[in-house]
Amino acid sequence: MQCIRRQPKRTVSQENILLEQSRRVAALNGIRLGLKDDKDLKFLLKGSQLLKVKSSSWRKERFYKLQEDCKTIWQESKKVLRSPESQIFSIEDIRDVRSGHKTEGMEKYAKDVPEYRCFSIIFKDQRKNLDLIASSEDDANHWIAGLGKIIAHSNSMNQKQKLQHWIHTCLRKADKNKDNKMSLKELKDFLKEVNIEVDDYHAKKIFQHCDKSKTEALEDDEIEEFYKILTERKEIDSIFQMYSDPEGFMSCQNLVRFLHEMQQEEDAVVAAPALIQRYEPNERAKRGNAMTKDGFLMYLLSDEGNIFNPSHRKVYQDMTQPLSHYLVSSSHNTYLMEDQITGPSSTEAYIRALTKGCRCVELDCWDGPNSEPVIYHGYTLTSKILFSDVIKAIKNYAFKTSPYPVIISLENHCSVEQQKVMAQHMTTILQDMLLVAPVDGNKSQFPSPEQLKGKILVKGKKLSRQEDPTNGNNNLEAEDVSDEDEAAEIEDESVKTKLEQKGKSDTLKLAKELSDTVVYCKSVHFEGFDDPSHPRAFYEMSSFSESKALKLAQESGTSFIHHNIRHLSRIYPAGWRTDSSNYSPVDLWNVGCQIVALNFQTAGTEMDVYQGRFQDNGFSGYVLKPEFLRDEQTKFNPKSITEGTWGTKKKLLLKIISGQQLPKVNKSKNSIVDPKVTIEIHGVQQDNNKKQTKVIENNGFNPNWNEEFTFDIEIPALALVRFVVEDFDMSTKNDFIGQYTLPFTSLKQGYRHIHLLTKNGDPYSSSTLFVYVNIQDCD
């Protein structure tokens, strides 16, 4: 048995010194966050006992405490051999803090406890919610308010403050004996912590340069000197020197020149003084209407220095066109958290999709016990949730991210009695939100997203004798309608067996009450493209499997585009995707399909491209299709591009200059990443392309590539650009580090930072790429 050497016990005075140092560090970090002497922050730093709730039989007391870095929470664990890392979670991992019984867990297992003592921590990734009960209302309020403040203040820190906070946290972590000094060994450990491999010679050279006191340990000003060397950005210094005077100031006039010449900013004269006032930390420079190197770096790291056009962060497109003229952010089998066969169903999945900007959610409805309809993936072992709970979640979260309409896509397998219950739930829970009559008497074409703001539309079957859903209702009680059963398409043996046993019918009896909730989105089987002499009603829409839709896009691209000018089309993943994998949405967007539904729970290239497309237009979930996909005379076909008014061809020049603070992929202390960058173009077939940089060995902290790439873009309006950073591995698949995707039309030119996203689409706090972008018209 291996012996564990006991650490020498500290004296009381040593413990007191360490405690005082810890308080000082916590106070300093509180000031950095702008929360000096905040009572909620002080409470969290002290910590408290909370009841952790997992089930009706598992409710246990645990101690929770904010660490002195004001970035991580330590949680007590009674598990044997649990690693220290697993007892800590970062504030950056928190998506939301909800008071009361606002999660499924709290709703099920904590109804006996007053809401004012309950709160839940919702994480960004697929981690389970943390449901907690405080001993008093005051304690709960301290936790809810304190966490809320830290999250808000952390998000409002500029990039330089985030970097400083992160580096000082890593320094503190490397200071093993907590003496606020750094030995050569601790310096080497720190460099590994921040993802940079430095050989002994270079580490010693940096150490000796900073050790002015010759004490074989760095402290105070010497550590600050080391911090400056570490965070030096030589590639930005050289740009700054081109436009600054010998004293290190960039005049407002020279900043105007830089913005005009390099950044291609049209309003440089107006922008320059505003940038100085906003980002220049040196008061003397600010008074002289000039910028120092620090201010210049802060500008380049800001939203104005971002590769994504900041004016596209708000709704800027025309929102008064018919609904069918927009791409709509849409989710497939929204209730699922994991795979399509055995995974859990959850209202949390709806909340996550809606807060990610999704505007069309799917509900697969089946008869449930006690006359209450349930939602789950029919014929499978996925768990079931109440229809009413889902409608409540949609009501509460539909318009938190975007004010534009939400479409509820119903796949109805219920009896007439339970269909009536569904209609009643939607009417009573959603109330005025539910659209039950045409807008402004519009009966010839779709209303616009602007007209439908704050409204929830139902997509589903309609009774045939109510053929025109815009013409009021008649007295028909129920009738057989064709059944649409996507679950029956799943390529799984157990599903096929259940279908054979059930003896599947092609029709379904539809209740009038449910039929009445459908106004503009009547589900019909696709019988072919319109005969111009007998056009179908605009409100009739069809759903297509990805393979059927891709076949139509390939063989009848122009006809599909014409169909999608007047009608909505919904696309869903193939039945063989039982693992909830996704298909590329791009080919279907290229023919104007609006509701291209993806599995939002599954990270990957397809979801990155999806979120990249919909971060445009203010993350509203609606993106206006290009003119040539809305023009009724269009001859555009993405599979066979001829001359036409599709926009000017462009030549894109991209220089990948450097990376900053790339995260560790392998948490092992000695593991350093070997990063490489791949640039992908996603668009029409001619534009699809991929190019990559060389690999930089053992440096994730500040790798330098300085490599140029050019791309010809045939149809700029349909193209997206994706930047992917991976950790190169010669023997196995490269590990994903981060990515960023944006529409070609949202690219800003000049020297820009790309703020990388995690595999789940959440931003890293300080991981960036620094690039140069230039776009020219092709001759």
Side-chain angles (χ1 to χ4, degrees), residues 687-703:
D687 291 344
N688 292 339
N689 206 338
K690 185 189 283 193
K691 296 180 181 182
Q692 56 193 38
T693 65
K694 60 179 178 284
V695 176
I696 303 289
E697 291 187 359
N698 291 328
N699 187 351
F701 184 74
N702 55 5

Side-chain angles (χ1 to χ4, degrees), residues 288-345:
N289 207 17
M291 204 174 237
T292 61
K293 192 164 66 177
D294 281 349
F296 186 63
L297 174 59
M298 284 173 78
Y299 148 64
L300 286 174
L301 283 166
S302 76
D303 213 32
E304 276 105 338
N306 200 309
I307 193 167
F308 184 80
N309 189 335
S311 69
H312 291 189
R313 289 199 195 284
K314 56 183 186 291
V315 174
Y316 68 95
Q317 295 176 345
D318 176 7
M319 300 303 280
T320 64
Q321 305 252 345
L323 200 64
S324 54
H325 287 194
Y326 299 83
L327 305 180
V328 184
S329 179
S330 307
S331 157
H332 170 249
N333 287 357
T334 313
Y335 47 88
L336 293 177
M337 300 285 279
E338 293 169 14
D339 66 76
Q340 306 283 311
I341 305 294
T342 60
S345 305

Side-chain angles (χ1 to χ4, degrees), residues 166-167 170-171 173-176 182-200 203 206 226 230 661-674 698-702:
W166 176 66
I167 284 183
C170 292
L171 282 166
K173 203 169 170 183
D175 182 13
K176 294 286 186 251
M182 184 174 277
S183 66
L184 178 58
K185 184 184 182 308
E186 286 173 335
L187 178 132
K188 285 196 229 168
D189 286 346
F190 165 78
L191 290 170
K192 282 179 181 168
E193 186 67 39
V194 298
N195 215 355
I196 182 167
E197 182 77 71
V198 177
D199 60 40
D200 287 355
I206 295 169
F226 169 62
L230 200 63
Q661 292 88 59
L662 303 179
K664 277 192 167 201
V665 177
N666 184 335
K667 295 299 177 189
S668 153
K669 183 178 160 186
N670 294 312
S671 171
I672 310 292
V673 301
D674 303 323
N698 291 328
N699 187 351
F701 184 74
N702 55 5

Side-chain angles (χ1 to χ4, degrees), residues 650-654 678-681 687-692 708-714 721-723 744 774 776 778:
K650 303 286 182 183
K651 187 173 283 293
L652 171 65
L653 179 139
L654 279 170
T678 304
I679 306 150
E680 301 168 357
I681 307 294
D687 291 344
N688 292 339
N689 206 338
K690 185 189 283 193
K691 296 180 181 182
Q692 56 193 38
E708 281 189 10
F709 305 92
T710 57
F711 299 89
D712 289 330
I713 310 292
E714 186 92 18
V721 187
R722 181 171 182 252
F723 299 86
F744 178 87
N774 185 260
Q776 302 286 340
C778 282

Side-chain angles (χ1 to χ4, degrees), residues 225-277:
E225 175 70 15
F226 169 62
Y227 167 81
K228 279 179 187 166
I229 290 170
L230 200 63
T231 56
E232 200 172 27
R233 295 283 302 272
K234 287 179 180 171
E235 73 277 32
I236 287 177
D237 293 352
S238 61
I239 301 164
F240 183 78
Q241 282 164 12
M242 289 164 58
Y243 291 88
S244 61
D245 61 28
E247 288 181 26
F249 291 101
M250 184 189 285
S251 68
C252 186
Q253 194 177 350
N254 279 348
L255 179 56
V256 168
R257 201 159 58 85
F258 169 77
L259 293 173
H260 183 69
E261 292 172 1
M262 292 295 184
Q263 307 296 78
Q264 307 289 310
E265 299 285 7
E266 290 172 7
D267 58 349
V269 175
V270 177
L275 292 176
I276 290 168
Q277 291 307 307

